[in-house]
Amino acid sequence: MKEAFSKTSLHIDDYLDLLNLAVQIGDTKWQKEITRKLQALSVLQTEQVEID
């Protein structure tokens, strides 16, 4: 389970980098898409923590 948690954390870091880029270029549609994905990953990560 720790490996899955680690992978999810990496995905979140990657999406945060993308969100930062979307903000810098002013792409609000992309920002919303990335935010939705981050919320989904956050839920997944929370569920993994509860299982461990």
Side-chain angles (χ1 to χ4, degrees):
M1 286 298 171
K2 288 185 180 184
E3 183 177 326
F5 179 79
S6 179
K7 287 181 182 179
T8 303
S9 294
L10 288 175
H11 288 300
I12 290 173
D13 288 344
D14 293 339
Y15 277 104
L16 288 171
D17 289 340
L18 290 174
L19 181 58
N20 186 33
L21 177 60
V23 169
Q24 288 178 7
I25 64 173
D27 190 332
T28 56
K29 182 179 178 184
W30 194 24
Q31 290 175 41
K32 290 177 185 177
E33 290 175 21
I34 295 168
T35 301
R36 282 193 296 269
K37 184 64 176 181
L38 281 166
Q39 289 171 340
L41 286 171
S42 178
V43 168
L44 177 63
Q45 189 175 37
T46 301
E47 290 172 353
Q48 289 173 350
V49 168
E50 290 174 359
I51 291 171
D52 288 342

